[in-house]
Each structure stands twice: as structure tokens, then as C-alpha cells.
Amino acid sequence: MNLVSLKKLGDVRGALIAVEQNSDIDFDIKRVYYMYNTEPGVRRGFHAHKKLRQLAIPVSGKCTFLLDDGHTKESITLDNPELGLLIEPMVWHEMYDYSKDCVLVVLASDHYDEDDYIRDYETFKRLILK
Ligand code: TYD
């Protein structure tokens, strides 16, 4: 599991975390997006990326990731804003069990590009086995 430990800079006033390119993450951040107010029971994702690299940080609440590299499936619950999950290319991922207060921030290595998505699981498996 590719977890990145993020340094907490808080003091008595509360917590603060800064994520910096080239120290905390080894890719250029070209896009930031976040998911929040996810409805109960929703499962989303269901894709892999051809080239995109991402770091997902649960800044509030929790959610669970299923990660599948085509050989092994693992699941992990993200519930700590001090730990980010690296989602590398060619990893099928699904997200579920979002808590009501979940805010999931994702730092991405590139702009949104639908051509970088593999949204069909059988296609993903075929590409992995190539
Ligand atoms: P979608 O890929 O379905 O989200 P998920 O895979 O996490 O379930 O994205 C929902 C919509 O938002 C879809 O129409 C694509 C669009 N979108 C963007 O325009 N830019 C982005 O950076 C992302 C992540 C999604």
C-alpha cells in the first residue's frame, strides 16, 4: 500500500498540514479536486488511469478504497488527514463507505483527460496481462 506520511505542523491552536511538490510528492501537481457530500451507499471510481498519478487525502471523515493492480486486490480505509494514499497508473480503484463528513482531496499529476481513463474492467485486465 502506497501511503504517504504528511507532516503535521500544528500547535495548540490546531492542526495544519502542508503538502509540497518534490518533497511530499514526486510529481508536479497540475490539478486538485475534492469529493464531499457523497450520498450514503454510493460507490464510485470504477476506473484506472493510463498515466495519471494521484495522492488522495481524507482531510475530513473517512472512506474506503479498493485497489486492484490486476493481480492483487487490497482495501484500505482512509481516516487520517496525516496519511495520503498514492494511486499509481494502472490501478483499478473504487471508493465506498464514505462517512457523511468525508472530504477527500485529490492532488493529480495532470489535467482532466477522459482519454487517460480505463473505465471498463475487462479492458483493464486485458491491458495488464499484455
Ligand atoms: P467521475 O470520473 O465519474 O468520478 P469518479 O470516477 O470519482 O466516480 O467524475 C464525475 C464527473 O466529473 C465526470 O463527468 C467527469 C468530471 N470530472 C472533471 O470534469 N474533472 C475532474 O477533474 C474530475 C475528477 C471529474
Side-chain angles (χ1 to χ4, degrees):
M1 198 66 67
N2 270 331
L3 287 171
V4 175
S5 192
L6 304 166
K7 192 162 176 266
K8 195 161 77 173
L9 303 168
D11 54 31
V12 287
R13 296 169 298 170
L16 186 155
I17 286 179
V19 183
E20 290 202 10
Q21 189 173 301
N22 298 332
S23 51
D24 303 289
I25 38 180
D26 61 353
F27 58 78
D28 291 355
I29 302 162
K30 294 230 180 108
R31 174 167 52 112
V32 177
Y33 63 92
Y34 40 97
M35 274 162 255
Y36 61 102
N37 281 353
T38 306
E39 292 293 330
V42 162
R43 195 171 176 106
R44 60 184 308 170
F46 295 97
H47 62 254
H49 287 283
K50 296 174 194 165
K51 293 192 177 144
L52 190 73
R53 301 185 70 205
Q54 304 189 92
L55 182 73
I57 306 166
V59 297
S60 165
K62 61 177 184 171
C63 73
T64 301
F65 272 73
L66 167 77
L67 300 167
D68 175 357
D69 66 4
H71 304 286
T72 309
K73 291 182 188 182
E74 319 180 75
S75 61
I76 181 166
T77 297
L78 298 188
D79 60 0
N80 181 352
E82 295 160 37
L83 278 183
L85 175 69
L86 264 179
I87 308 163
E88 297 290 7
M90 297 309 285
V91 175
W92 184 267
H93 49 284
E94 299 172 16
M95 296 87 82
Y96 54 100
D97 280 354
Y98 287 84
S99 62
K100 207 174 162 44
D101 60 347
C102 181
V103 181
L104 185 67
V105 173
V106 183
L107 313 180
S109 66
D110 215 335
H111 302 285
Y112 176 74
D113 176 10
E114 189 56 39
D115 286 345
D116 188 66
Y117 281 73
I118 304 164
R119 292 194 185 269
D120 174 63
Y121 188 73
E122 293 312 313
T123 306
F124 165 71
K125 287 288 276 189
R126 204 162 4 93
L127 288 169
I128 285 288
L129 295 173
K130 253 202 210 163

